[in-house]
Amino acid sequence: MASCPLCCVNNSGVFRFLLSLFFTCALATQFTENAEEFFQSGHTNNWAVLVDTSRFWFNYRHVANVLSIYRSVKRLGIPDSQIILMVADDMACNPRNPRPATVFNNANQQINVYGDDVEVDYRGYEVTVENFIRVLTGRLPPSTPRSKRLLSDERSNILVYMTGHGGDGFLKFQDAEEISNVELADAFEQMHQKRRYHEVFFMVDTCQAQSMFQRFYSPNILSVGSSHVGEDSLSHHVDPAIGVYIIDRYTYYALEFLETVRPDSNQTMGQFLKVCPERLCVSHVAVRTDLFLRDPDKVPLTDFFGGVRNVELSNEILNLSDRVLDLDDSADKRCSNEECPEKVQKKRSSSEKAYYYASQFPAALLTKS
């Protein structure tokens, strides 16, 4: 009889141990799955190609559209060196602008999207169909500066945003020429063949926007447009001080959503694709996901709008001095005279002094103080 309580205690202890072991294994499995999801995007850098195709004062809203997206992607981490900005007209310096050197996307004039650090890569008559296609495909003259080149690779996620006046199967450039949906589809296919992207998010705000990506046939392209075929894409509101419409509806609500996003936010592309329902946009937002391999609801918004980098930790120790000595040993083998080893020895000693591990958090200095 005396052994029963002890037996019960032992059994309960074993039960608690097994229960804790079960939960530990479950959590470990969950963390492993989360880590796999974290690294499954496969991209290592982000680029943005932002295009306003309209000029003239009454198209003020199209410049505000593209500058609004430009402001958002810069805030979320994509540097100017990886943004190609094409603006067909300089509204900030237009003589009709009551507030020179500014472009606003709201009647309250709270946000000057032109700002002090806008870097326009193609402006005015440089914004042509030919230049746009050349930027995407990389077929630029050798004299073209790096700032005007899309230097992407097979690990690049690219945001392509376009705004202007369009119709069924075309988008006008400065009322002088137009790009067709077939030309655009072929340009993306050239990018795919030349391994110039990992994934593309194509976003277009124009009338009959859906028609611009109906002919796409290259993989890993997610597309969204502000209107279906046969529908107009409408502007949002007028600023009485400026006298024209200052932003389009779809871009307005897209910007409203992006303003709530931070580089460490958890918003997804699936949420972004629903930012402008019919009651707000009046038109029907068109989405195409069949070419995109991932589920948009599981793709972080910063995969396209931000410059967030995935970091993988390693327990391996990298000995820089050994690396330098290995390089010097290979240099020794190439030596063919007696003076060469002395030069290598001097280079070796200087390299050992130049390369060292610098702690990011100098705890030793803090403890001394």
Side-chain angles (χ1 to χ4, degrees):
M1 296 294 292
S3 63
C4 290
L6 182 60
C7 180
C8 293
V9 171
N10 291 338
N11 289 338
S12 62
V14 172
F15 175 74
R16 285 197 296 270
F17 172 75
L18 293 175
L19 187 63
S20 63
L21 183 62
F22 170 77
F23 281 112
T24 301
C25 294
L27 288 174
T29 302
Q30 181 181 358
F31 290 150
T32 302
E33 292 176 353
N34 291 340
E36 290 176 355
E37 291 180 1
F38 184 76
F39 291 110
Q40 71 180 357
S41 63
H43 78 287
T44 59
N45 56 90
N46 290 80
W47 287 78
V49 180
L50 314 177
V51 186
D52 153 51
T53 65
S54 300
R55 59 185 300 110
F56 306 121
W57 178 248
F58 54 84
N59 290 320
Y60 181 103
R61 65 188 184 277
H62 294 153
V63 176
N65 287 347
V66 74
L67 291 178
S68 297
I69 301 299
Y70 170 80
R71 176 181 179 274
S72 294
V73 298
K74 278 190 66 174
R75 182 179 61 83
L76 292 174
I78 301 181
D80 264 316
S81 58
Q82 292 172 212
I83 301 175
I84 304 298
L85 179 60
M86 308 179 76
V87 180
D89 205 347
D90 194 354
M91 296 302 173
C93 297
N94 193 296
R96 295 185 182 182
N97 193 340
R99 296 188 59 181
T102 61
V103 175
F104 296 99
N105 60 6
N106 191 288
N108 296 325
Q109 298 187 356
Q110 294 176 342
I111 302 177
N112 174 21
V113 292
Y114 195 78
D116 299 326
D117 59 347
V118 173
E119 296 186 13
V120 181
D121 301 297
Y122 294 82
R123 68 171 70 243
Y125 289 109
E126 289 182 321
V127 182
T128 62
V129 173
E130 179 183 355
N131 282 342
F132 175 61
I133 296 296
R134 287 184 178 277
V135 166
L136 292 182
T137 59
R139 296 183 173 182
L140 291 164
S143 59
T144 304
R146 289 177 61 89
S147 61
K148 291 188 174 187
R149 293 177 180 269
L150 179 64
L151 301 175
S152 57
D153 54 41
E154 59 185 356
R155 288 300 180 185
S156 302
N157 274 12
I158 304 176
L159 165 66
V160 179
Y161 173 85
M162 303 185 74
T163 182
H165 291 290
D168 188 358
F170 68 90
L171 180 66
K172 292 198 293 184
F173 273 65
Q174 306 199 36
D175 289 338
E177 57 180 347
E178 59 191 36
I179 184 172
S180 70
N181 54 4
V182 176
E183 292 172 317
L184 189 58
D186 290 342
F188 281 126
E189 176 60 18
Q190 287 187 48
M191 294 179 68
H192 170 62
Q193 295 291 342
K194 297 171 71 173
R195 298 182 177 180
R196 289 179 56 80
Y197 73 84
H198 177 254
E199 291 174 333
V200 171
F201 178 51
F202 178 73
M203 181 179 175
V204 55
D205 191 348
T206 184
C207 296
Q208 306 193 60
Q210 182 185 31
S211 65
M212 291 306 298
F213 50 80
Q214 283 183 328
R215 297 296 186 93
F216 287 179
Y217 54 93
S218 305
N220 290 333
I221 300 180
L222 177 64
S223 306
V224 63
S226 58
S227 56
H228 279 200
V229 175
E231 290 183 338
D232 291 332
S233 183
L234 304 179
S235 52
H236 190 265
H237 66 278
V238 173
D239 184 345
I242 297 177
V244 292
Y245 285 96
I246 58 173
I247 194 168
D248 283 325
R249 283 181 175 268
Y250 179 72
T251 300
Y252 177 86
Y253 290 107
L255 179 64
E256 187 177 59
F257 180 85
L258 290 173
E259 286 296 305
T260 66
V261 179
R262 301 187 308 273
D264 60 345
S265 297
N266 296 322
Q267 285 96 326
T268 66
M269 292 301 298
Q271 293 173 297
F272 182 77
L273 297 177
K274 303 171 184 175
V275 296
C276 197
E278 182 187 0
R279 61 183 177 83
L280 297 177
C281 268
V282 181
S283 60
H284 296 82
V285 175
V287 178
R288 184 176 178 186
T289 61
D290 60 302
L291 298 174
F292 196 65
L293 300 182
R294 293 195 287 163
D295 181 0
D297 291 323
K298 296 182 180 179
V299 178
L301 188 71
T302 51
D303 273 12
F304 292 100
F305 286 90
V308 178
R309 301 291 185 271
N310 294 333
V311 177
E312 187 171 1
L313 301 178
S314 174
N315 293 325
E316 297 180 3
I317 298 176
L318 179 62
N319 195 327
L320 292 177
S321 60
D322 291 344
R323 291 289 184 91
V324 173
L325 291 175
D326 291 341
L327 293 175
D328 291 340
D329 290 340
S330 61
D332 283 334
K333 296 177 181 179
R334 293 194 301 268
C335 292
S336 58
N337 54 50
E338 297 178 355
E339 297 180 357
C340 190
E342 296 179 359
K343 294 181 180 180
V344 173
Q345 185 64 30
K346 292 180 180 179
K347 181 179 179 182
R348 179 181 303 174
S349 59
S350 62
S351 299
E352 289 175 353
K353 295 178 181 179
Y355 291 94
Y356 64 95
Y357 176 77
S359 176
Q360 295 187 46
F361 187 76
L365 298 178
L366 294 178
T367 54
K368 289 181 179 179
S369 61

